Amino acid sequence: MAADQNLLVYFTAMDNQGGVIVRDAPKLDLDLYIANYKGRTRFERLLLVGQCSVPLCVDALKAAVVEAKRGKDIQRYRDAWEYIRMAAPNEPEATWDESWVITTEKTTKTETTRLETELKGYKNNLVKESIRIGHRDLGEHLESIGDLNTASETYIKMRPDASTQSHIQDVGKHIVGVLVQKRDWAGVLANVNKVLAMNLTNEEQNAEQPYQKIVSGLALLGSSKYLEAAKSFLEVGNPTTSQQYNDIVSPNDIATYGGLLALASMDRQHLQSRVLENSSFRNYLELEPHIRKAVSMFVNGRYSPCLEILESYRNDYLLDIHLQKHVSILYSEIRSKCIVQYFTPFSCVTLESMKKTFGKPNESIESELIGMIKSGVLNARINTIDKLLVAVSVNPRVAMHQKALQAAKDYEKQAIERIRRMSLAAANLEMKGSKKSGGAGGSGSLPGVGELWTDDATRQPASSEAMT
């Protein structure tokens, strides 16, 4: 009873802070789920599950404390301890381990001093390769203790000493890795192309492409560019190659991200060709068969089963560090597409049939349809007397007139721009490229001046005769 009261207080505080609360048990097994990852992302995912999932809260927070103590980031241990102290104060992990903190602080300070001293020695010896390695080791150490800003600055200092393409790629991967942890998606997009150099062989490009596509897809997803993100995840390549990047995402995540984003942003034809018939992405869909089944249902016009499959996995996606903020938007986009595709072959559909196919418990389908009509997603109107959803037919003559008027406006705009350009040219006001040799009358590179002096020279004799 006391444990339930502690959880109630804990999740009330999480809800007041604007967090997402998942009350139902997800389909994922926590141990199997976290075993797909390595590195610092393990703690981030465990902590998110502990913050959001009511059934898995205590187990996830206990695992997060253990994971934090495996590393050297004291702040992460402090964060996990504060959460578990609120949610389960009677657990052994809720006891503050002061001896571990003191030992870790002493060890990290000693290691930082040692690496900085070694780097100074390398700089005094002026050996570029040693300086690059010194910056890399110091940056990795700073990243492991959670000092991401200083780690990023240290990685950037590796660039002047990078002498080969592999060194340049290594610098880019370290910088991008820190930016992904900071959720700086604009910075990720600006630096990810530096990982794939221009003069690589085909084999080297194929080896590096999965990393570039994975990171680009995450950055585009974080920027809410769903279609571009879907294309990136669909082009990742072989799952065995992408497995080595499970410090960022796992192959299961690639299947989930690619399938959901494609469902939300692509039409039926592209879903068939780019998802279901994609030989490389098919291997990822085998890891998440429910995604493949949902896409197949949509392509085959079975919209209600498609939505039911996705709805059954909503809790799992709400516990994903990259998908959580986008789940409601993606599900809304997919649902709207299903309703539009379902209604397209008909001139009218009864509201009762729409409710049977797409209705939600304790929610009215009419309000959802009204919202879609107002936003322009659904081209229809609601007949409240006969309880019908009626398609709005477009008058071909009106459409032709509107197209003709738009063409006339475009032609008028282009004509005005051309007349303005001709007027600028006639008045010698347009900018011209510099010329090496001077123009007529020694005018040099000044446009129009040579012609002006030539005209004055031809007119001067006539003016002198008039004076005589």
Side-chain angles (χ1 to χ4, degrees), residues 78-147:
R78 182 176 288 106
D79 293 340
W81 172 76
E82 288 180 352
Y83 284 123
I84 197 172
R85 183 171 60 91
M86 294 175 58
N90 296 326
E91 294 292 336
E93 289 79 4
T95 303
W96 177 256
D97 192 346
E98 184 66 26
S99 61
W100 178 87
V101 172
I102 295 174
T103 304
T104 305
E105 283 183 344
K106 186 182 299 184
T107 304
T108 54
K109 287 181 181 179
T110 304
E111 183 69 9
T112 303
T113 303
R114 184 185 68 82
L115 292 172
E116 290 176 347
T117 304
E118 287 184 357
L119 180 58
K120 289 179 181 179
Y122 296 149
K123 290 181 178 179
N124 292 333
N125 295 331
L126 300 177
V127 181
K128 296 186 66 175
E129 179 63 12
S130 298
I131 295 173
R132 185 188 69 83
I133 295 175
H135 279 127
R136 184 197 64 189
D137 294 342
L138 180 59
E140 290 176 349
H141 169 70
L142 293 172
E143 182 180 353
S144 66
I145 65 176
D147 192 355

Side-chain angles (χ1 to χ4, degrees), residues 174-394:
H174 278 92
I175 295 174
V176 169
V178 173
L179 293 174
V180 169
Q181 295 182 58
K182 295 168 63 177
R183 305 295 185 264
D184 184 359
W185 304 125
V188 170
L189 292 174
N191 287 274
V192 69
N193 291 328
K194 299 176 183 177
V195 176
L196 199 62
M198 297 298 294
N199 54 351
L200 294 178
T201 63
N202 291 333
E203 293 181 358
E204 291 174 338
Q205 286 186 351
N206 293 334
E208 296 297 336
Q209 181 178 348
Y211 178 83
Q212 185 193 31
K213 294 298 182 181
I214 288 172
V215 176
S216 298
L218 287 180
L220 292 167
L221 171 60
S223 304
S224 299
K225 298 178 181 178
Y226 300 133
L227 178 59
E228 293 84 352
K231 293 178 180 178
S232 293
F233 286 119
L234 294 176
E235 297 172 357
V236 169
N238 195 341
T240 57
T241 306
S242 62
Q243 177 65 35
Q244 60 183 312
Y245 305 118
N246 60 350
D247 56 333
I248 303 175
V249 296
S250 67
N252 300 69
D253 293 333
I254 296 173
T256 301
Y257 299 164
L260 278 182
L261 293 170
L263 267 177
S265 58
M266 294 183 178
D267 56 22
R268 180 184 280 107
Q269 182 180 357
H270 286 156
L271 286 173
Q272 180 68 38
S273 60
R274 294 189 177 185
V275 180
L276 297 179
E277 296 178 359
N278 187 337
S279 58
S280 62
F281 194 72
R282 190 181 300 125
N283 297 324
Y284 290 98
L285 291 178
E286 293 177 356
L287 301 174
E288 297 290 337
H290 64 279
I291 293 291
R292 175 179 53 81
K293 189 175 181 180
V295 176
S296 300
M297 292 288 186
F298 182 88
V299 171
N300 295 327
R302 301 178 62 186
Y303 305 113
S304 181
C306 171
L307 295 177
E308 289 177 359
I309 292 173
L310 296 179
E311 196 64 33
S312 65
Y313 282 87
R314 178 190 284 264
N315 293 335
D316 294 57
Y317 302 149
L318 287 173
L319 300 178
D320 186 274
I321 58 176
H322 298 294
L323 269 184
Q324 185 184 81
K325 296 180 180 179
H326 307 277
V327 167
S328 59
I329 300 175
L330 292 174
Y331 271 52
S332 177
E333 292 286 337
I334 295 171
R335 181 176 173 83
S336 298
K337 284 180 60 179
C338 290
I339 292 175
V340 171
Q341 292 294 323
Y342 176 85
F343 178 68
T344 298
F346 306 103
S347 59
C348 64
V349 177
T350 63
L351 294 179
E352 185 63 27
S353 64
M354 294 291 293
K355 184 177 181 180
K356 288 182 180 179
T357 307
F358 299 103
K360 295 181 180 180
N362 302 323
E363 292 187 18
S364 173
I365 189 68
E366 294 184 24
S367 59
E368 183 177 1
L369 294 174
I370 291 172
M372 293 176 62
I373 293 172
K374 287 183 177 180
S375 62
V377 176
L378 184 63
N379 189 18
R381 60 183 178 85
I382 296 178
N383 185 341
T384 56
I385 298 176
D386 299 327
K387 300 295 182 180
L388 296 174
L389 181 66
V390 183
V392 176
S393 58
V394 180

Side-chain angles (χ1 to χ4, degrees), residues 128-129 131-136 151-177 179 187-195:
K128 296 186 66 175
E129 179 63 12
I131 295 173
R132 185 188 69 83
I133 295 175
H135 279 127
R136 184 197 64 189
S152 179
E153 296 173 359
T154 306
Y155 289 143
I156 292 173
K157 293 178 182 178
M158 293 169 59
R159 283 177 175 169
D161 302 306
S163 55
T164 64
Q165 290 295 339
S166 61
H167 293 168
I168 296 174
Q169 292 173 1
D170 184 57
V171 173
K173 286 184 177 180
H174 278 92
I175 295 174
V176 169
L179 293 174
V188 170
L189 292 174
N191 287 274
V192 69
N193 291 328
K194 299 176 183 177
V195 176

